[in-house]
Amino acid sequence: MLTQKPEGVEGTEPAAPASPARVDNLICYFEGEFVPLGEAKVSIMTAAFMYGTAVFEGIRAYWNDADQALYGLRFREHMERIRRNAGLLLMTGLPAVDELVRIVVETVRKNGFREDVYIRPAIYKSGTSVGVKLHGMPHEICVFAVPFGNYVDVEKGITMMTSTWRRNPDDSIPARGKITGGYVNMAFQKTEAELNGFDEALVLTKDGSASEASAANFFLVRDGVLITPPTTDDILEGITRTSVFEIAAALGVPTETRPIDRSEIYVSDEMFLCGTGVQLAPVVELDHRPIGGGRVGPVSREIHDVYFAAVRGQDPRFKHWLTPIPLD
């Protein structure tokens, strides 16, 4: 089991995987029933397995030890997005958002977590006929949750390299869709970066604009202005990205959404990544060039600190983000 630091920001060590025995005994939602995760099986002929025809969400819930409470982060927004994205794959007749939220809450509740967790809902093509297509295929829903800490360092700052792999464009596999097959693109980028000694990858569009990290949005700071690429630069319409805009508005930090060149990052004052996995992770180096002198900047630090207080229910300005998870 992971050791958490619920009061304030977590430690800087990346998450360790839960043990196989622990995972198998967790309760998940699978095709209409709550069952042990070890019993949730699909055929190797399942279309989603063979062809990547599924959509998913990554969601976090944060434990607050002082409150003895587990808070789900932006559950409704995630369920709204997964329903929209399922439509891209011609999936219809889905449960309403409220019902999807109820399923996610119940999945987490049944496991009695008293630590930070990661939640993965997915809607997937469940047919077992051979053939690449979207139409005329049945689909199912599954949800699991596992203990989870930090994916990357969220305190000291991480290093990045510009990937040789470009972001898949919207007219190929739309990044806004969180389509499982599309994440092969991200896997190439992340592995390239790590094998070359960096923590993360900066990914460019086919036209050379900075798009995202391998699986995270990013922001720059220049002259006190928070800048991020537009959705038209093949980015995920990130829910954490939206949260950063809300925090910036509360703090009076001006924001700008526009295309960003790779070289502009080199001369920026600050940079950070944001997303469910990375949370808020400052960036201190890109392509061996220090950003902001190689230190975490003041704007990044302030937004970072507000975010981590908010997700644990410690900032009343952002209580509307949170869904309390009942504890048995």
Side-chain angles (χ1 to χ4, degrees):
M1 185 179 297
L2 295 173
T3 300
Q4 303 294 343
K5 296 183 179 180
E7 289 298 319
V9 178
E10 295 179 317
T12 59
E13 291 301 316
S19 68
R22 171 80 188 274
V23 168
D24 282 349
N25 290 328
L26 293 174
I27 300 300
C28 69
Y29 180 83
F30 178 68
E31 301 187 351
E33 298 182 298
F34 291 99
V35 300
L37 189 54
E39 297 177 12
K41 310 287 187 183
V42 297
S43 167
I44 60 172
M45 288 184 64
T46 301
F49 173 73
M50 291 193 293
Y51 306 119
T53 48
V55 293
F56 74 97
E57 289 293 316
I59 314 174
R60 283 187 183 260
Y62 290 88
W63 176 250
N64 182 313
D65 197 51
D67 293 351
Q68 286 292 289
L70 185 65
Y71 295 114
L73 182 59
R74 310 208 78 154
F75 278 6
R76 187 171 187 84
E77 290 90 338
H78 281 285
M79 294 302 95
E80 290 171 343
R81 187 171 68 179
I82 200 171
R83 288 185 91 255
R84 290 195 302 268
N85 292 343
L88 294 174
L89 298 188
L90 300 181
M91 298 175 182
T92 60
L94 300 172
V97 169
D98 287 344
E99 175 61 10
L100 290 172
V101 170
R102 186 196 68 79
I103 291 170
V104 171
V105 169
E106 189 66 6
T107 301
V108 179
R109 186 195 67 79
K110 284 180 175 293
N111 288 288
F113 295 116
R114 292 176 178 266
E115 57 194 308
D116 295 353
V117 298
Y118 178 85
I119 307 154
R120 172 62 62 89
I123 306 175
Y124 59 97
K125 296 289 186 178
S126 56
T128 54
S129 59
V130 176
V132 184
K133 64 176 184 176
L134 297 176
H135 65 285
M137 296 287 289
H139 55 265
E140 292 285 354
I141 300 171
C142 64
V143 183
F144 69 80
V146 294
F148 201 69
N150 291 331
Y151 178 60
V152 296
D153 187 289
V154 298
E155 285 291 326
K156 295 181 297 183
I158 64 173
T159 63
M160 299 182 69
M161 65 165 282
T162 302
S163 178
T164 61
W165 298 96
R166 296 296 176 103
R167 171 65 76 240
N168 45 263
D170 187 71
D171 58 3
S172 175
I173 302 177
R176 63 166 40 88
K178 283 191 79 69
I179 298 165
T180 56
Y183 276 69
V184 173
N185 183 239
M186 287 73 160
F188 275 112
Q189 297 148 8
K190 179 72 169 179
T191 288
E192 179 185 38
E194 290 194 351
L195 291 181
N196 281 282
F198 297 87
D199 299 310
E200 254 295 349
L202 174 71
V203 186
L204 308 181
T205 68
K206 63 181 180 180
D207 296 324
S209 294
S211 175
E212 291 187 318
S214 66
N217 298 127
F218 77 87
F219 283 84
L220 299 182
V221 179
R222 293 199 72 185
D223 300 321
V225 178
L226 202 58
I227 308 168
T228 195
T231 55
T232 49
D233 277 346
D234 300 320
I235 71 169
L236 177 69
E237 295 174 322
I239 291 169
T240 309
R241 178 176 177 268
T242 299
S243 300
V244 171
F245 280 123
E246 289 188 38
I247 292 172
L251 297 177
V253 177
T255 60
E256 187 175 346
T257 301
R258 60 167 173 79
I260 295 172
D261 294 327
R262 171 183 176 181
S263 62
E264 184 176 12
I265 300 175
Y266 296 157
V267 300
S268 65
D269 301 319
E270 305 177 36
M271 179 181 184
F272 62 87
L273 306 184
C274 64
T276 297
V278 301
Q279 303 171 102
L280 257 70
V283 179
V284 295
E285 178 186 300
L286 173 64
D287 298 335
H288 301 288
R289 293 164 174 84
I291 297 172
R295 297 179 298 275
V296 179
V299 177
S300 299
R301 175 60 64 193
E302 186 174 21
I303 292 173
H304 168 283
D305 291 348
V306 170
Y307 178 80
F308 279 102
V311 299
R312 296 190 189 279
Q314 297 167 341
D315 190 324
R317 293 174 294 180
F318 304 101
K319 283 282 191 179
H320 61 283
W321 292 358
L322 306 180
T323 300
I325 310 296
L327 298 176
D328 290 337

